[in-house]
Amino acid sequence: MDNKSLTSLLLSLTLLLLFSTPSVVLAVTLEGKVIKVADGDTITIEDYQGNKHRIRLMGIDAPEKDQPYGDVATQSLAKLVSGKTVTIEYEKLDRYKRIIGKVLVDPPGEVFCMALDCVKKVDAGLEQIRKGLAWHYKKYQGEQSVDDRRAYGEAEVEAREKLLGLWKDSEPIAPWEWRRK
């Protein structure tokens, strides 16, 4: 095989792998400081250029403000992200022009990092579910990665079993049902 044929074959294989491998290449990353927590699943950040962005946490639905546990969910999210720099991974906006994204924040407290055992950023949406302060929003789980879908689903099951947060109620009303009232 001559050099031209080998180069062509390698280029073809590279392109095939590039375009056939599922990836998050389309995801956009945004960083900014959290300047407002509207409720248990919505924040506003200010980026480094001074632009404000409203963010809806992907994959969760937290109780509405006038719903049982709405204030607790809001306070929990505020404690986790208020005034902190967060990283948003997103691919789309909702009908209200909010960014639908995964919100990542440094874990609370001092972070000590060894090369192989580094503490990763905390997924704020997953934390809300773990605390029993949000539902895994299964209606939109197809927009999540397989790993996130699994983690969110398992976290909700565990919170339910442990009767954490809103799962203390015998019949908690999901926010999407509450909004229909």
Side-chain angles (χ1 to χ4, degrees):
M1 190 178 272
D2 63 19
N3 280 345
K4 186 176 180 182
S5 296
L6 183 59
T7 302
S8 179
L9 177 64
L10 288 174
L11 179 60
S12 296
L13 287 173
T14 302
L15 289 173
L16 179 67
L17 283 172
L18 180 66
F19 291 111
S20 66
T21 306
S23 65
V24 191
V25 173
L26 298 176
V28 176
T29 301
L30 176 67
E31 282 195 8
K33 183 176 180 178
V34 177
I35 58 171
K36 180 180 179 187
V37 175
D39 56 31
D41 56 28
T42 308
I43 63 174
T44 301
I45 69 166
E46 185 172 340
D47 67 22
Y48 299 119
Q49 288 79 38
N51 300 313
K52 294 179 181 169
H53 306 272
R54 204 159 148 84
I55 315 294
R56 172 77 161 73
L57 277 68
M58 182 171 66
I60 74 168
D61 202 3
E64 299 295 322
K65 281 188 166 185
D66 61 340
Q67 186 177 355
Y69 292 94
D71 287 341
V72 178
T74 302
Q75 292 165 7
S76 170
L77 185 57
K79 184 176 179 184
L80 183 61
V81 301
S82 281
K84 296 182 182 174
T85 298
V86 295
T87 302
I88 314 297
E89 296 175 354
Y90 73 99
E91 295 179 16
K92 71 176 224 174
L93 305 177
D94 69 7
R95 62 183 175 183
Y96 305 110
K97 306 291 186 225
R98 296 178 297 187
I99 292 171
I100 305 298
K102 183 175 178 177
V103 176
L104 303 170
V105 63
D106 286 331
E110 294 285 325
V111 177
F112 179 73
C113 187
M114 297 288 288
L116 296 175
D117 192 15
C118 190
V119 176
K120 294 181 180 178
K121 290 190 178 280
V122 173
D123 178 343
L126 182 57
E127 286 304 302
Q128 289 288 87
I129 295 171
R130 284 183 175 147
K131 293 174 183 174
L133 297 173
W135 276 257
H136 177 210
Y137 209 171
K138 292 174 185 71
K139 179 178 178 181
Y140 298 104
Q141 69 181 347
E143 297 173 4
Q144 292 180 286
S145 71
V146 173
D147 290 341
D148 284 349
R149 192 177 320 142
R150 185 179 314 118
Y152 284 42
E154 289 172 0
E156 182 178 313
V157 168
E158 190 171 325
R160 284 176 184 249
E161 289 172 353
K162 292 181 178 178
L163 301 176
L164 299 175
L166 59 93
W167 303 114
K168 291 176 190 169
D169 283 358
S170 58
E171 295 181 26
I173 300 171
W176 55 89
E177 292 172 4
W178 184 270
R179 289 189 290 267
R180 279 190 256 167
K181 288 182 167 189

